Amino acid sequence: MQNQQGYHVAVVGATGAVGQKMLETLEKKAFPLASLTLLSSSRSAGKKIAFKGEELTVKEATPESFEGVQIALFSAGGSVSKSLAREAVNRGAVVIDNTSAFRMDEEVPLVVPEVNEEDLSSHKGIIANPNCSTIQMVAALQPIKKSHGITRVIVSTYQAVSGAGTSAAEELREQSKAFLNGEELEAEIMPVKGDKKHFPIAFNALPQIDTFEENGYTFEEMKMINETKKIMHAPNLPVAATCVRLPFFTSHAESVYIEVEKEGLQAADIHEVLRNADGITLEDDPSEQEYPTPLSAAGKSDVFVGRVRKDPDHPKGFHLWVVSDNLLKGAAWNSVQIAESLIKNNLL
């Protein structure tokens, strides 16, 4: 329930890359806050973070931290979410979780507000924020599915290192300096810090994001496959993904191939749908070399789409280029949007 000033919000993982973006988004979007609690691991507790001209102290996240909290934004890793999310719910908070901990739980809605806002009405205290690469793709595909139907999706991603955390971004900086100075490149983090081998990301492309599953796909690829089906309520939709990490810092880009149900469609028909879709900005004029890029999308909350073209060999096939800031729409902004939707629809 709202008090006169607003809502008591907690941000778990406040010192991390996504946590910082959550705070920036809460401030920029003028979210109705009565109070704000910043939480982290014991290692980061005690740090000071500026918010709306005030200096707030980060506290260690414990079950008792959530007393009086109404909305808890989690982005501190799956293990933290698994140990503390239900503790927060038991104390009256609604949890919006940015990890993979609950995404495929049948009782937890997995939500992109422009796509399936109605699923929020079934929440039982926890709402999952999808994977960053999934969010931007389904945001672009849902209006096409609604208007023309979609029967197949094949996606290849070009993902920024910030998706692997601040330490991965720092490794890219150090490797880039070393490469330009003719020095040997040291790799300790990419593609996966906990995996057996590590490879340089600077001036490179790594076709592995997260660990490999038994079927040969990575966990990131399976997240895109399974989450897309859940969010779009299309359990039988064929989806395949190849996820690649590239040496830039912000925004993920995706080459998406789809097959639609309707016959006789042209690129202009897809343009028309996307031009009128919520949260989508169409940038597509080949004659002027107009298309989105990771740099042009950085710092913006929309999903950008360009390079829409009909497949030359398949009568129902189309190709799209989809770009979005992975820390904003792919994480922080989508989480805050969910919170706004909960407030708007009286679902707290």
Side-chain angles (χ1 to χ4, degrees):
M1 182 178 292
Q2 182 186 17
N3 65 28
Q4 291 182 344
Q5 290 80 31
Y7 298 84
H8 184 178
V9 175
V11 176
V12 185
T15 59
V18 174
Q20 289 288 293
K21 288 295 181 181
M22 285 176 171
L23 295 175
E24 290 176 20
T25 302
L26 289 170
E27 186 168 8
K28 183 177 180 181
K29 302 295 182 181
F31 190 87
L33 284 170
S35 58
L36 179 64
T37 297
L38 306 185
L39 301 172
S40 72
S41 66
S42 58
R43 186 180 63 242
S44 298
K47 289 185 177 180
K48 306 287 186 179
I49 294 179
F51 184 84
K52 289 188 175 181
E54 295 184 32
E55 197 173 63
L56 303 180
T57 301
V58 179
K59 302 176 182 179
E60 181 180 358
T62 66
E64 293 71 29
S65 304
F66 299 98
E67 296 290 348
V69 171
Q70 294 159 292
I71 300 170
L73 304 176
F74 273 67
S75 189
S79 60
V80 174
S81 294
K82 288 177 181 178
S83 66
L84 289 178
R86 298 199 189 279
E87 295 284 355
V89 173
N90 291 340
R91 288 163 173 77
V94 174
V95 169
I96 301 169
D97 182 47
N98 194 54
T99 77
S100 61
F102 302 103
R103 288 174 185 161
M104 298 313 298
D105 188 318
E106 292 183 359
E107 295 192 349
V108 175
L110 182 65
V111 176
V112 178
E114 295 92 341
V115 178
N116 62 329
E117 184 183 44
E118 66 279 2
D119 289 354
L120 291 173
S121 62
S122 66
H123 85 78
K124 298 179 180 179
I126 299 176
I127 298 146
N129 200 57
N131 187 44
C132 47
S133 50
T134 305
I135 289 174
Q136 66 188 68
M137 184 174 76
V138 297
L141 295 189
Q142 179 64 15
I144 301 172
K145 177 178 178 287
K146 187 176 180 180
S147 295
H148 305 305
I150 293 179
T151 60
R152 187 174 189 84
V153 178
I154 300 174
V155 56
S156 295
T157 72
Y158 309 78
Q159 296 181 223
V161 293
S162 57
T166 53
S167 58
E170 183 59 31
E171 183 170 80
L172 171 58
R173 290 188 185 93
E174 293 304 314
Q175 289 176 357
S176 298
K177 293 176 185 176
F179 184 92
L180 294 173
N181 289 328
E183 301 169 1
E184 184 176 346
L185 304 189
E186 296 183 3
E188 299 179 353
I189 297 173
M190 303 299 292
V192 182
K193 188 172 184 179
D195 216 339
K196 295 183 289 293
K197 295 181 180 179
H198 299 102
F199 307 105
I201 182 62
F203 303 94
N204 207 1
L206 302 179
Q208 179 189 357
I209 299 179
D210 220 312
T211 55
F212 282 101
E213 306 285 286
E214 289 184 2
N215 62 1
Y217 286 80
T218 64
F219 187 45
E220 180 86 356
E221 291 160 354
M222 292 310 301
K223 282 190 284 188
M224 288 198 75
I225 292 167
N226 294 326
E227 291 176 20
T228 296
K229 296 179 181 187
K230 180 175 178 177
I231 296 165
M232 299 180 77
H233 299 289
N236 298 318
L237 177 67
V239 181
T242 301
C243 294
V244 182
R245 190 78 72 188
L246 290 182
F248 51 85
F249 293 104
T250 305
S251 303
H252 293 342
E254 300 172 347
S255 174
V256 186
Y257 170 76
I258 61 171
E259 292 171 7
V260 297
E261 291 179 359
K262 289 187 178 180
E263 295 184 1
L265 295 178
Q266 301 300 322
D269 298 302
I270 306 297
H271 278 162
E272 186 64 23
V273 170
L274 294 171
R275 194 174 287 115
N276 296 306
D278 291 339
I280 301 295
T281 295
L282 182 66
E283 294 182 344
D284 194 1
D285 185 353
S287 68
E288 297 295 331
Q289 291 180 272
E290 181 182 351
Y291 43 75
T293 67
L295 279 178
S296 67
K300 300 172 183 175
S301 56
D302 267 7
V303 173
F304 297 83
V305 183
R307 298 297 317 278
V308 179
R309 58 215 187 274
K310 192 169 185 176
D311 189 85
D313 298 310
H314 195 293
K316 297 181 181 180
F318 288 87
H319 299 265
L320 303 88
W321 176 248
V322 182
V323 184
S324 190
D325 188 318
N326 56 299
L327 299 180
L328 285 178
K329 182 55 183 171
W333 172 224
N334 199 73
S335 296
V336 174
Q337 276 185 295
I338 290 172
E340 291 179 336
S341 295
L342 291 170
I343 293 170
K344 178 184 70 175
N345 294 297
N346 297 311
L347 293 172
L348 288 174

